[in-house]
Amino acid sequence: MTGHFGNKIRICAYLAAIVGLYFLTSQINHFLGEGQKRTESMGGAVAVSSGEETPFSQTEAEQKKVALTFDDGPGPYTERLLDGLKERNVQATFFVLGEKAELCPETIQRMHEEGHVIGNHTYSHTQLNVISCEQALEEVERTNQVIERLTGERPDLLRPPYGECRDMMKKNLDMVITLWDVDPLDWCTLHSDIVAKRVIEDVKENDIILLHDIYETSVDAALEIVDELTEQNYKFVTVDELLFP
Ligand code: NI
């Protein structure tokens, strides 16, 4: 009885084991199949997402920085330049004269509000190395006060007219003297295409470009330069972004 009953249990256990094994195997296959599919679909998703992300991050990494700077303004064409830069979402650096800033306060405030950097180009375009150190500091300070009154911010950057100033003055100045790398001589070549071509041919990564927004041709050239260099994967930044990233 025990034996017969025991045999029955053994057969049942044996059958249960087979069924169980079959069930387990099918589950494992099912799981592996699903797992494989998930991996495939994840692989697909990764490939798609990296396909979207890689060119973007590479483009960011490969973008070459360059800074547009405008001296001697504001002038009659500065607002048009600001419109063009705004359309292109480009920020520049303006080295303004104190006496002109006083005449165009709204333009200075607009520059500041639209993210451009305002630097100091002295009050009346004085060559700083032919006057006394005290007079030179006064030219600079007077302009700093005009800009600070209009924007609430004191300039950090000074571009001395003609790029000249005494070493003695540099020691007494808490500003960064900013010169330039690319000078297309826009003030004597009043032809926008020629000015733009010179810049586009000469420019390289991290250069500072010098233009004057008091000439209509320079304003046109500036916008041509932005369009062409943007195509060439340049990114326009302000001078302080270039010097102190
Ligand atoms: Ni100048």
Side-chain angles (χ1 to χ4, degrees):
M1 182 75 184
T2 310
H4 178 71
F5 191 65
N7 275 346
K8 263 193 169 173
I9 287 177
R10 266 201 296 274
I11 290 163
C12 283
Y14 183 64
L15 285 172
I18 289 171
V19 170
L21 196 62
Y22 175 79
F23 182 74
L24 192 66
T25 310
S26 72
Q27 283 303 298
I28 288 169
N29 283 340
H30 181 72
F31 176 76
L32 285 176
E34 281 293 298
Q36 211 167 9
K37 266 188 241 163
R38 195 170 296 140
T39 310
E40 277 168 16
S41 71
M42 277 172 67
V46 168
V48 169
S49 96
S50 63
E52 283 169 359
E53 283 169 18
T54 308
F56 179 70
S57 51
Q58 278 176 353
T59 305
E60 281 277 287
E62 286 168 8
Q63 274 192 322
K64 295 168 281 187
K65 285 184 184 172
V66 69
L68 270 181
T69 64
F70 298 95
D71 285 13
D72 299 2
Y77 311 104
T78 306
E79 287 284 335
R80 194 157 70 77
L81 174 61
L82 292 172
D83 292 342
L85 294 175
K86 192 178 182 183
E87 268 171 40
R88 292 160 177 81
N89 194 26
V90 161
Q91 271 79 42
T93 305
F94 290 86
F95 290 96
V96 302
L97 296 176
E99 62 183 8
K100 290 197 181 162
E102 280 182 331
L103 295 173
C104 316
E106 290 90 3
T107 307
I108 297 291
Q109 284 159 346
R110 180 180 172 191
M111 285 173 183
H112 180 68
E113 280 160 17
E114 295 183 358
H116 303 290
V117 166
I118 300 170
N120 185 325
H121 196 47
T122 74
Y123 189 80
S124 50
H125 211 269
T126 313
Q127 190 169 334
L128 296 177
N129 62 344
V130 299
I131 55 175
S132 74
C133 193
E134 291 73 26
Q135 284 174 313
L137 288 168
E138 170 57 27
E139 270 276 327
V140 173
E141 179 52 30
R142 196 174 169 193
T143 308
N144 278 345
Q145 285 177 10
V146 171
I147 297 168
E148 190 173 9
R149 195 174 68 237
L150 293 173
T151 66
E153 226 171 87
R154 197 178 162 82
D156 294 321
L157 307 175
L158 170 69
R159 176 172 282 163
Y162 318 101
E164 302 278 1
C165 84
R166 296 176 202 271
D167 289 342
M168 179 63 172
M169 189 188 164
K170 291 179 193 167
K171 285 180 195 159
N172 287 294
L173 202 68
D174 60 346
M175 299 178 78
V176 178
I177 293 180
T178 311
L179 300 181
W180 56 85
D181 302 297
V182 181
D183 179 5
L185 303 175
D186 62 330
W187 52 273
C188 73
T189 309
L190 298 175
H191 191 295
S192 58
D193 291 342
I194 294 173
V195 170
K197 189 167 175 277
R198 281 183 190 157
V199 171
I200 291 160
E201 283 175 359
D202 288 357
V203 79
K204 58 188 188 313
E205 189 168 10
N206 296 322
D207 272 355
I208 297 174
I209 299 165
L210 169 64
L211 290 167
H212 297 80
D213 54 321
I214 51 170
Y215 305 110
E216 190 172 20
T217 44
S218 299
V219 167
D220 291 337
L223 300 177
E224 279 181 46
I225 291 163
V226 170
D227 290 340
E228 175 57 30
L229 294 186
T230 302
E231 283 282 308
Q232 294 184 23
N233 210 19
Y234 278 93
K235 182 183 190 321
F236 288 88
V237 297
T238 56
V239 165
D240 48 356
E241 259 181 277
L242 196 70
L243 300 178
F244 317 108

